[in-house]
């Protein structure tokens, strides 16, 4: 088979590999896909997979490059430098990485990768979705890439288990759905996380919060207040949780509990726990609730639950109420008040039929502060409210807002205009902070000061 004939209709091989090239689109993508498949198959016939698995990644990439060039030379194909480089890159990505997704994963400006069957791949940049030119050869090709992702962490995806949560080696969150649940073909969603997690200084640089708010949050963590981070999907809850965790002293033992491990804590004494789904026989499941219960026997100084979404909320609240101070978690909710309503509903899921007042009293005594995060219409993330839980008033959990973000309008370019300001209320937990040697300036709570 003459490889040159297959390439004669391809003007920009780089466009298929990178997905977003500036040049003209390929006239025959199927020809290039078939060429790549043929070379891939011939490579598999020539290499020893067992030897490959034990070879360092960089050496393996070089060996693959040599083999691809040898195959091209054997067929007498004369390719230009760009075509040859991109063909080799494609083969390396297919055998060592995630195929067409590799260029997107290497782009630090991309925060989400959304694959809607083999034909459509969207990415999110700076809070905005855009369609790329990345394509998979077929839905079967996409299914193989998904299977490669989930098998790395001992999970599976097939007709009997068509939906799975997983993670990439860099901590990025992965969700995949395949037929029969996905009607048109496999669906893949990847929430990217930076290799080096954002720190509080980075969040201040992005104007997610002000230096005064960051100083207050730092004091909360150091004085072992129980913090709940609330917000909708994609508001940066996990990023904020990572940033807050950097203030935990290095001599404390931290236990993290997650559905799919995403947290990137930098302390030396961190124990990471992850749930396990049931096996093909429906057995062996380990839930977040079981992990929270078990963590109490592991002598934790702090317990961090990536996100509470079910019956584990009851054990989390009990841990906060029984001496495990300084614990943190996140929840999906549009406001601090909604977060507590969700907590009540999840407590009912645990089978505990408490009167509403008793359930709210347990929530109010366990949670010290609620930090509300939001994603604005321009895609920017902001901490829009910091509220202190002050106890109960009748049958209602009482809260007082310390900092807030007020949107004032929208600029001609679509960016949101607004201001951070203090409400003028001095939180009651300042006394606790002073007991830990933390003193905050009085002017931090001056409502006359506005911050862009």
């Amino acid at each position: 088979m003459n490889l040159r004939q297959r390439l004669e209709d391809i003007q920009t091989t780089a466009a298929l590999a990178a997905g977003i090239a500036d040049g003209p689109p390929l006239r025959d993508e199927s020809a290039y896909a078939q060429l790549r498949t043929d070379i891939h198959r011939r490579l598999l016939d020539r290499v020893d997979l067992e030897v490959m698995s034990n070879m360092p990644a960089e050496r393996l990439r070089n060996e693959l490059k040599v083999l691809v060039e040898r195959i091209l030379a054997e067929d007498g194909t004369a390719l230009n430098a760009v075509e040859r480089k991109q063909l080799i890159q494609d083969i390396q990505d297919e055998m060592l990485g995630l195929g067409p997704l590799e260029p997107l994963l290497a782009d630090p400006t991309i925060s989400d990768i959304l694959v809607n069957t083999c034909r459509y791949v969207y990415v999110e940049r700076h809070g905005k979705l855009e369609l790329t030119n990345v394509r998979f050869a077929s839905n079967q090709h996409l299914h193989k890439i998904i299977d490669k992702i989930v098998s790395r962490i001992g999970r599976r995806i097939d007709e009997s288990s068509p939906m799975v949560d997983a993670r990439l080696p860099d901590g990025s969150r992965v969700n995949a759905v395949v037929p029969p649940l996905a009607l048109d073909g496999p669906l893949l969603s990847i929430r990217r996380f930076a290799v080096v997690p954002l720190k509080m200084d980075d969040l201040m640089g992005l104007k997610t919060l002000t230096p005064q708010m960051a100083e207050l949050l730092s004091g909360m963590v150091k004085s072992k207040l129980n913090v709940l981070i609330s917000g909708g999907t994609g508001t940066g809850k996990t990023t904020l949780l990572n940033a807050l965790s950097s203030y935990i002293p290095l001599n404390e033992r931290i236990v993290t509990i997650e559905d799919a491990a995403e947290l990137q804590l930098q302390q030396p004494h961190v124990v990471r726990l992850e749930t396990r789904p049931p096996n093909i026989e429906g057995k062996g499941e380990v839930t977040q609730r079981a992990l929270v219960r078990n963590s109490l026997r592991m002598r934790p100084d702090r317990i961090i639950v990536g996100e509470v979404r079910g019956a584990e909320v009851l054990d989390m609240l009990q841990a906060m109420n029984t001496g495990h101070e300084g614990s943190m978690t996140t929840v999906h909710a549009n406001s601090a008040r909604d977060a507590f309503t969700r907590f009540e509903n999840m407590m009912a899921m645990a089978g505990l039929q408490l009167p509403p007042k008793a359930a709210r009293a347990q929530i109010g005594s366990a949670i010290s502060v609620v930090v509300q995060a939001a994603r604005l219409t321009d895609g920017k993330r902001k901490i829009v409210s910091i509220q202190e839980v002050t106890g109960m008033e009748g049958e209602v959990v009482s809260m007082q807002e310390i900092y807030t973000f007020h949107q004032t309008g929208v600029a001609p370019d679509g960016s949101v205009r607004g201001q951070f300001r203090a409400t003028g209320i001095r939180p009651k937990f300042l006394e606790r902070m002073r007991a830990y040697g933390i003193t905050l300036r009085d002017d931090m709570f001056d409502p006359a000061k506005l911050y862009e």
Side-chain angles (χ1 to χ4, degrees):
M1 187 178 294
N2 192 316
L3 297 180
R4 183 163 185 164
Q5 290 177 353
R6 294 188 175 221
L7 280 169
E8 62 186 2
D9 290 332
I10 299 178
Q11 295 181 336
T12 314
T13 313
L16 184 63
I20 41 177
D22 295 327
L26 300 181
R27 290 185 301 188
D28 189 356
E29 293 183 4
S30 61
Y32 176 74
Q34 184 61 47
L35 165 64
R36 185 176 55 197
T37 301
D38 288 346
I39 294 182
H40 189 184
R41 185 170 55 249
R42 291 166 68 179
L43 278 173
L44 291 177
D45 291 338
R46 296 192 183 195
V47 300
D48 186 328
L49 295 179
E50 186 174 347
V51 173
M52 278 182 56
S53 64
N54 296 322
M55 193 178 294
E58 193 56 40
R59 181 184 171 189
L60 184 53
R61 295 186 78 87
N62 292 333
E63 293 289 343
L64 289 174
K65 177 182 178 181
V66 171
L67 286 172
V68 172
E69 290 178 336
R70 186 176 301 166
I71 291 174
L72 293 174
E74 289 172 358
D75 289 351
T77 304
L79 303 178
N80 64 44
V82 174
E83 291 172 337
R84 184 180 297 272
K85 180 180 178 181
Q86 290 302 147
L87 184 59
I88 292 171
Q89 182 70 48
D90 275 0
I91 296 297
Q92 290 173 330
D93 289 344
E94 191 69 35
M95 297 191 71
L96 303 179
L98 301 181
L101 296 179
E102 283 296 316
L104 302 181
L105 292 170
D107 187 341
T109 67
I110 293 175
S111 57
D112 282 274
I113 302 172
L114 309 171
V115 183
N116 302 346
T117 73
C118 63
R119 297 171 59 100
Y120 304 104
V121 179
Y122 291 83
V123 297
E124 180 185 291
R125 282 190 178 89
H126 311 299
K128 300 294 184 181
L129 285 177
E130 57 186 71
L131 179 65
T132 72
N133 291 331
V134 171
R135 301 291 183 273
F136 289 82
S138 64
N139 281 333
Q140 289 75 20
H141 180 206
L142 173 56
H143 198 297
K144 287 181 179 178
I145 295 296
I146 294 174
D147 192 58
K148 182 185 288 188
I149 294 172
V150 302
S151 62
R152 285 175 176 172
I153 61 170
R155 301 193 177 185
R156 62 187 179 85
I157 186 164
D158 49 38
E159 286 191 2
S160 63
S161 180
M163 187 166 54
V164 70
D165 287 316
R167 67 180 185 278
L168 298 180
D170 66 358
S172 297
R173 181 193 311 164
V174 177
N175 176 267
V177 185
V178 300
L181 297 186
L183 300 180
D184 300 319
L187 307 174
L188 177 66
S189 305
I190 300 176
R191 168 68 53 82
R192 299 287 310 285
F193 288 101
V195 176
V196 179
L198 293 178
K199 297 186 174 4
M200 196 60 75
D201 288 343
D202 301 315
L203 297 182
M204 287 188 286
L206 295 170
K207 296 187 176 180
T208 301
L209 74 170
T210 67
Q212 291 75 14
M213 295 167 70
E215 187 177 351
L216 181 65
L217 292 173
S218 166
M220 292 176 186
V221 176
K222 292 176 182 176
S223 59
K224 289 194 170 185
L225 295 176
N226 294 325
V227 178
L228 172 64
I229 300 173
S230 169
T233 300
T235 55
K237 298 187 298 298
T238 303
T239 300
L240 179 58
L241 187 58
N242 267 323
L244 289 180
S245 69
S246 65
Y247 296 119
I248 298 175
L250 299 181
N251 61 349
E252 293 190 12
R253 175 176 169 86
I254 308 167
V255 178
T256 68
I257 299 165
E258 302 172 85
D259 263 340
E262 304 163 8
L263 295 172
Q264 299 168 285
L265 274 61
Q266 306 303 307
Q267 282 79 2
H269 198 163
V270 178
V271 179
R272 305 171 71 208
L273 303 178
E274 184 180 54
T275 61
R276 187 177 72 179
N279 60 22
I280 196 169
E281 298 173 348
K283 300 178 181 179
E285 181 181 16
V286 180
T287 64
Q288 277 203 142
R289 185 174 190 185
L291 292 178
V292 171
R293 286 179 173 177
N294 188 77
S295 69
L296 301 178
R297 306 183 185 98
M298 299 175 68
R299 199 260 175 223
D301 287 308
R302 306 207 189 208
I303 299 173
I304 298 179
V305 179
E307 179 187 339
V308 289
R309 53 166 65 96
E312 68 275 1
V313 68
L314 178 60
D315 300 277
M316 182 71 188
L317 291 174
Q318 288 178 338
M320 289 177 170
N321 275 322
T322 55
H324 294 89
E325 298 175 320
S327 297
M328 295 186 283
T329 187
T330 72
V331 67
H332 274 82
N334 293 325
S335 69
R337 186 63 62 186
D338 287 345
F340 286 170
T341 301
R342 283 212 64 208
F343 267 40
E344 287 186 58
N345 294 335
M346 288 186 283
M347 289 174 73
M349 292 169 58
L352 186 65
Q353 300 302 320
L354 283 178
K357 183 176 181 179
R360 291 167 191 165
Q362 186 162 357
I363 295 170
S365 62
I367 304 296
S368 307
V369 180
V370 181
V371 181
Q372 184 69 34
R375 181 167 66 171
L376 307 183
T377 54
D378 60 358
K380 294 178 181 176
R381 279 83 169 175
K382 302 281 187 185
I383 293 179
V384 295
S385 179
I386 299 177
Q387 299 199 36
E388 179 188 21
V389 180
T390 57
M392 294 284 293
E393 289 186 3
E395 294 192 357
V396 178
V397 178
S398 176
M399 291 184 285
Q400 57 184 17
E401 193 166 43
I402 303 168
Y403 278 97
T404 183
F405 175 80
H406 176 64
Q407 182 174 333
T408 57
V410 179
D413 62 357
S415 61
V416 172
R417 290 173 174 167
Q419 297 168 329
F420 294 99
R421 69 178 182 86
T423 61
I425 296 174
R426 292 175 57 82
K428 293 181 179 180
F429 55 68
L430 290 182
E431 292 183 12
R432 181 186 178 95
M433 286 187 178
R434 280 193 288 269
Y436 279 82
I438 301 166
T439 304
L440 301 181
R441 304 183 315 277
D442 289 337
D443 63 354
M444 285 181 53
F445 306 103
D446 184 355
K449 291 186 175 181
L450 304 178
Y451 308 93
E452 293 292 333

